[in-house]
Amino acid sequence: MGNATMHDVAKLAGVSLATVGRVLHKNGYVSQENREKVEAAVKALGYIPNSAAQLLKNSCSRMLGHILRFSPNLLFGQISRGVDRAAAERGYSVLSYTKYGSPGEDQRIVTEFISRRVEGVLITSLQEFDQGLLDKLLDAGIPTVRIERAPPGADRVMVDDFQGAYQGARSLVEAGHGNIAFIGMGGDSRVERLRLLGYRKALEEGGITPSPRLERLAEDYSPQEGYRAMEALWRHVGPTAVFAGADTLASGALQYLYQVGARVPEDLSLLGYDNTLATLLAPPLDSVGIQAEAMGRAAVDLLLRRKQRPLAPGEPGEEILVATELETRGSVGPPPSGSR
Amino acid sequence: MGNATMHDVAKLAGVSLATVGRVLHKNGYVSQENREKVEAAVKALGYIPNSAAQLLKNSCSRMLGHILRFSPNLLFGQISRGVDRAAAERGYSVLSYTKYGSPGEDQRIVTEFISRRVEGVLITSLQEFDQGLLDKLLDAGIPTVRIERAPPGADRVMVDDFQGAYQGARSLVEAGHGNIAFIGMGGDSRVERLRLLGYRKALEEGGITPSPRLERLAEDYSPQEGYRAMEALWRHVGPTAVFAGADTLASGALQYLYQVGARVPEDLSLLGYDNTLATLLAPPLDSVGIQAEAMGRAAVDLLLRRKQRPLAPGEPGEEILVATELETRGSVGPPPSGSR
DNA sequence: TTGAAAGCGCTAACAG
DNA sequence: CTGTTAGCGCTTTCAA
């Protein structure tokens, strides 16, 4: 019961601990005969090494930590998947913690990670992370990579949001729209600002002057906010196309349009962002797709690279921008013929 | 750098290892003076215990393993959240692995879990799990709890699907419908069968004879399958209400209805199941809600209980049924007046 | 009340 | 080619 140890294997095979080790690690010289005896014993006992003992000896836990801020946004789940898969492929396990915002939580998680000697930490969060805790990780020699939100100079993986928003808005301009609204998130975070700027740039390039009347900034990414924004636009502004800065916002917009009986794309073109929900909505939406899994993978790779070569003091981190890709599904069409 | 050890703490405090241990574990007698010295040293060095060493000594890893079969169904993510939260609250970390179906994967994950000496394993999967691997865990003294799909006699946490489907279908009967279709998943798994049976029972109780014409069984839970099933029903059967066995199927049904311009609930009542997507769709759907987080929590609790008192050989496991709750949002109304 | 010491299971350097 | 041995950091028994 419990579990066989290397000792048991050595005894059963009638050799020394060291020989067992050599067979297991395929290094050093072992006679064919002994090798076979050891392999037979391993099989017979179902020997599985105790990784705690290995870690204690090697200080190499083959675990990564992942701190994830809870968010209704499906994107985070997809990123998480990318992280998990990439880590597994590289022989790492991932210890994930989802934060819900209770006080002291970050502190506890970081302590846990240090205690378990994870080899690196990923942070996927909409909020900034406490610098003191980051320093604690750094002191413990644990590199950190941030996903989605992070101050410049940190190792980070981000969406090319400016480009993505530009790309999305441009598709609306190219469809012939002149009256294009934007439903985005407020706040002055980089991501939100870039999406707005990308949208504006596409308009300007198409000879359209952006107007604040067309820009609705929501409080959060909930469908309710999308609904409200769409309602305001529909009643007071009358755009022919709407670009939602997140699929969840687009879903709320669709709920409003459904209620008033407006059809997409006949009465209004609608474009989402992040492509998390777009295939599930009625109608399926065009959406600016984010390579969420790729982000997770890139973050893991950067983290492992950084472990090999830590940042020199004062050296700026690496920034990886993940490209977006417009997915079209027919929710964008020409402006309704009645309109200007 | 690296990290301070108990040894460092002892040296700095000028006491022995054992005394540090006593202070840290709050057991045994320590003079007030020494206690303070140790506490000061711990603080000064930022000492964090090395859990690998603790595990090696105690064989208590305070980790649980979670094997999750990848599924586009959002339900699994919610269950996962429940597991993670409940575990964290009880002082456990969770090592999660998502399976994608590559061969040998289960084997690898189980080996990993044994190697890391997790104290219990949760399995959330639509498929059955290889019995040989379960035995391997059992041999290693690691209890297992299954979520959602599992053979009778195993420790398991399941949705009360019969009741849920009954409850859902009954709400359609009570709204006055007589022509109620069901879009479910095929296959002969228990869950799928129960949902179908619950639906039939509600019909019969309402004096309606179930008919195979009204029951569409899909290949998988994708919206595409929902779309196809809805199309067939709409064109050839003409129900006044449709009960979809998963919100993803309902989403596909809505896409078809949107395309043909049929409105919910005016032309057709639509009811979803699992409540994962219902608030995001247009219109928001009534759906039979599953307490996914509660399931995760229940599973963790059962697992920890089972660790305390292992199953005697031949003793049947515990089965926990999680209740469902109908969430109404206005997608179910009376049958259209034109219909019979 | 305190300290010394014996491992937990594994790795790797070293001597045979 | 093989075996012995000294820890990794922590817990805990036992003796002082």
Side-chain angles (χ1 to χ4, degrees):
Chain A
M1 277 309 106
N3 238 281
T5 72
M6 259 178 79
H7 217 101
D8 302 329
V9 173
K11 208 157 42 176
L12 181 62
V15 299
S16 74
L17 265 182
T19 301
V20 176
R22 279 189 281 262
V23 172
L24 258 31
H25 300 104
K26 308 180 195 304
N27 63 5
Y29 301 98
V30 182
S31 68
Q32 188 56 29
E33 194 196 339
N34 275 347
R35 177 181 311 276
E36 277 161 15
K37 278 199 280 187
V38 169
E39 279 163 354
V42 164
K43 195 144 291 173
L45 295 170
Y47 169 72
I48 295 177
N50 180 328
S51 38
Q54 292 180 314
L55 165 52
L56 195 54
K57 195 67 199 164
N58 296 338
S59 40
C60 132
S61 64
R62 298 204 76 77
M63 289 203 286
L64 301 180
H66 189 182
I67 303 182
L68 203 59
R69 162 81 209 180
F70 170 68
S71 150
N73 195 326
L74 270 38
L75 193 60
F76 281 21
Q78 294 179 7
I79 291 173
S80 208
R81 251 206 336 267
V83 167
D84 292 352
R85 287 189 84 160
E89 282 163 18
R90 283 155 192 67
Y92 279 80
S93 296
V94 178
L95 222 40
S96 289
Y97 273 95
T98 304
K99 303 196 302 168
Y100 297 88
S102 55
E105 212 174 13
D106 289 348
Q107 169 77 259
R108 264 200 311 284
I109 299 173
V110 165
T111 302
E112 171 79 19
F113 284 165
I114 296 179
S115 169
R116 298 220 186 251
R117 302 295 190 263
V118 299
E119 298 183 28
V121 169
L122 295 158
I123 301 176
T124 305
S125 175
L126 290 177
Q127 272 100 34
E128 293 299 339
F129 199 77
D130 179 11
Q131 187 61 42
L133 292 175
L134 289 171
D135 289 343
K136 212 163 146 186
L137 286 169
L138 193 66
D139 282 353
I142 301 175
T144 308
V145 166
R146 261 159 305 167
I147 301 178
E148 251 309 69
R149 310 285 156 119
D155 281 311
R156 55 183 187 168
V157 176
M158 326 202 64
V159 179
D160 192 347
D161 280 302
F162 181 78
Q163 171 63 20
Y166 168 75
Q167 194 175 18
R170 206 180 57 171
S171 80
L172 297 171
V173 172
E174 282 173 355
H177 294 273
N179 210 348
I180 303 170
F182 180 74
I183 302 178
M185 253 280 279
D188 51 7
S189 127
R190 175 188 162 283
V191 171
E192 276 68 37
R193 223 173 20 236
L194 284 180
R195 292 193 191 162
L196 186 57
L197 292 178
Y199 151 82
R200 286 187 189 155
K201 180 179 170 212
L203 262 56
E204 281 164 357
E205 252 191 38
I208 305 166
T209 312
S211 143
R213 278 170 28 99
L214 289 164
E215 299 169 359
R216 311 308 290 205
L217 297 188
E219 303 274 309
D220 56 50
Y221 283 116
S222 68
Q224 288 74 15
E225 285 287 297
Y227 182 100
R228 264 183 232 120
M230 189 68 238
E231 179 176 28
L233 287 169
W234 188 255
R235 306 232 297 228
H236 309 307
V237 183
T240 62
V242 170
F243 183 10
D247 276 6
T248 45
L249 292 172
S251 101
L254 271 179
Q255 290 176 340
Y256 178 76
L257 294 171
Y258 191 83
Q259 195 172 315
V260 298
R263 301 218 20 123
V264 173
E266 293 83 353
D267 300 322
L268 182 92
S269 288
L270 183 59
L271 173 68
Y273 196 98
D274 71 31
N275 198 35
T276 52
L277 241 35
T279 58
L280 300 168
L281 301 177
L285 292 188
D286 286 24
S287 189
V288 176
I290 291 174
Q291 316 285 330
E293 270 213 43
M295 286 182 78
R297 306 187 94 79
V300 169
D301 288 340
L302 173 52
L303 190 58
L304 295 181
R305 225 157 46 235
R306 182 60 66 225
K307 206 172 71 74
Q308 292 309 311
R309 203 191 62 67
L311 237 35
E315 183 187 354
E318 190 171 327
E319 171 170 329
I320 295 177
L321 268 193
V322 176
T324 57
E325 198 169 342
L326 183 64
E327 311 277 348
T328 57
R329 303 188 178 90
S331 74
V332 170
S337 49
S339 76
R340 46 168 255 92
Chain B
M1 277 307 108
N3 238 282
T5 72
M6 259 178 78
H7 215 100
D8 301 330
V9 174
K11 209 156 42 171
L12 182 61
V15 299
S16 76
L17 266 181
T19 302
V20 176
R22 280 189 279 264
V23 172
L24 258 31
H25 299 104
K26 308 181 196 304
N27 63 3
Y29 301 99
V30 181
S31 68
Q32 187 55 27
E33 193 196 338
N34 275 346
R35 177 181 311 279
E36 277 162 16
K37 278 199 281 187
V38 169
E39 278 162 356
V42 164
K43 195 145 289 173
L45 294 170
Y47 169 72
I48 294 176
N50 180 330
S51 38
Q54 292 180 316
L55 165 53
L56 195 53
K57 199 67 201 165
N58 296 339
S59 40
C60 132
S61 64
R62 298 205 76 77
M63 289 204 287
L64 301 179
H66 189 182
I67 303 182
L68 203 59
R69 162 80 208 180
F70 171 68
S71 150
N73 195 326
L74 270 38
L75 193 61
F76 281 20
Q78 294 178 6
I79 291 173
S80 207
R81 236 185 12 244
V83 167
D84 291 352
R85 286 189 85 158
E89 281 162 18
R90 284 154 191 68
Y92 279 80
S93 296
V94 178
L95 221 41
S96 289
Y97 273 94
T98 305
K99 303 197 302 168
Y100 296 89
S102 54
E105 212 173 12
D106 289 347
Q107 169 77 258
R108 263 200 312 283
I109 298 173
V110 166
T111 303
E112 171 79 20
F113 284 165
I114 295 179
S115 169
R116 298 219 186 253
R117 302 296 190 262
V118 299
E119 298 182 28
V121 169
L122 294 158
I123 301 176
T124 305
S125 175
L126 291 177
Q127 272 98 36
E128 292 298 340
F129 200 76
D130 179 12
Q131 187 61 41
L133 291 175
L134 289 171
D135 290 343
K136 213 162 145 184
L137 286 169
L138 193 67
D139 283 352
I142 301 175
T144 307
V145 166
R146 261 155 311 162
I147 301 178
E148 251 308 69
R149 310 286 156 119
D155 283 312
R156 54 182 188 170
V157 176
M158 327 202 63
V159 179
D160 192 347
D161 279 302
F162 181 77
Q163 171 63 19
Y166 168 75
Q167 194 176 20
R170 206 180 56 170
S171 80
L172 296 171
V173 172
E174 282 173 354
H177 294 272
N179 209 349
I180 303 171
F182 180 74
I183 302 178
M185 252 281 278
D188 51 7
S189 128
R190 174 187 163 284
V191 172
E192 276 69 37
R193 224 172 21 237
L194 284 181
R195 292 192 191 163
L196 187 56
L197 292 178
Y199 152 82
R200 286 188 189 152
K201 179 178 171 215
L203 261 56
E204 282 164 357
E205 253 192 35
I208 305 166
T209 312
S211 143
R213 282 170 24 97
L214 289 164
E215 299 169 0
R216 311 309 290 204
L217 297 188
E219 303 274 310
D220 56 50
Y221 283 117
S222 67
Q224 288 75 15
E225 285 288 298
Y227 181 99
R228 266 183 230 119
M230 190 67 239
E231 179 176 27
L233 287 169
W234 187 255
R235 306 230 299 227
H236 309 306
V237 183
T240 62
V242 170
F243 183 11
D247 276 7
T248 46
L249 292 172
S251 101
L254 271 179
Q255 290 176 341
Y256 178 75
L257 295 171
Y258 191 84
Q259 195 172 314
V260 298
R263 303 225 9 130
V264 173
E266 293 82 355
D267 300 321
L268 183 92
S269 288
L270 183 59
L271 173 68
Y273 196 99
D274 72 29
N275 198 34
T276 52
L277 241 34
T279 58
L280 300 167
L281 301 177
L285 292 187
D286 286 23
S287 189
V288 176
I290 291 174
Q291 314 284 330
E293 270 213 43
M295 287 182 78
R297 305 187 95 78
V300 169
D301 287 340
L302 173 53
L303 190 59
L304 295 181
R305 224 157 48 235
R306 182 60 66 226
K307 206 172 70 77
Q308 294 309 310
R309 201 191 63 66
L311 236 35
E315 182 188 353
E318 188 171 330
E319 170 169 329
I320 295 177
L321 268 195
V322 176
T324 57
E325 197 170 342
L326 183 64
E327 310 277 350
T328 57
R329 304 189 178 91
S331 73
V332 170
S337 48
S339 76
R340 44 170 257 92

